[in-house]
Amino acid sequence: KRKIYCPIKLKTLRLIVEYVSHHEGKGPQPISHPLKTSSMKDIVTDKWDARWIDDIGDHRMDLYLLGKAAEIMGIESLADLVCAKIASLIKGCRNDDIRRILDARIEDGNILMKKKP
């Protein structure tokens, strides 16, 4: 057997399969910019997408890894959905609140967890 390196975690791959299976090869309606609200159910036309990304958004690192994987795999609609979710989380927030909400920082394209005191 030959091993193949995959930079994407299995949990993230499962989320991608779930998303792609739901859409059955058809891209969802494009997300309009700028966001007019912070509610995903009002941002996207597919209510399944709204519920699905809201659930993932409760786990920030899963959300960031999903976005990175979508970019790597060229799944533009999923990358846009993740970006919209992140934007919805920080919409209208002050800088201090944004740091708290995101609970991670991105440097040079690498995701680094915020160190706990």
Side-chain angles (χ1 to χ4, degrees):
K1 291 183 181 179
R2 185 173 168 207
K3 291 185 179 181
I4 299 173
Y5 172 74
C6 179
I8 302 169
K9 293 183 177 196
L10 183 59
K11 180 178 182 180
T12 304
L13 285 173
R14 286 185 177 133
L15 291 171
I16 290 169
V17 167
E18 188 176 3
Y19 176 83
V20 172
S21 295
H22 170 73
H23 287 286
E24 298 177 334
K26 300 175 197 123
Q29 289 284 94
I31 298 170
S32 63
H33 298 92
L35 301 183
K36 293 176 176 55
T37 177
S38 61
S39 172
M40 289 305 293
K41 67 182 172 67
D42 297 327
I43 294 170
V44 297
T45 56
D46 186 330
K47 299 311 172 198
W48 181 91
D49 280 353
R51 285 189 306 274
W52 185 77
I53 201 68
D54 279 342
D55 288 345
I56 296 167
D58 291 339
H59 309 281
R60 300 292 191 267
M61 191 52 63
D62 291 345
L63 185 65
Y64 305 145
L65 292 173
L66 180 61
K68 187 173 182 179
E71 286 290 328
I72 289 169
M73 296 178 76
I75 307 171
E76 189 175 329
S77 62
L78 179 54
D80 288 348
L81 181 63
V82 171
C83 288
K85 177 58 185 175
I86 294 169
S88 77
L89 292 170
I90 63 175
K91 185 170 178 54
C93 293
R94 297 184 330 240
N95 286 344
D96 289 345
D97 292 332
I98 291 171
R99 283 188 206 92
R100 180 185 53 77
I101 291 166
L102 296 179
D103 195 32
R105 48 191 184 102
I106 300 177
E107 286 185 0
D108 300 325
N110 295 315
I111 298 173
L112 305 172
M113 290 302 296
K114 189 175 177 181
K115 292 183 180 175
K116 307 252 181 199

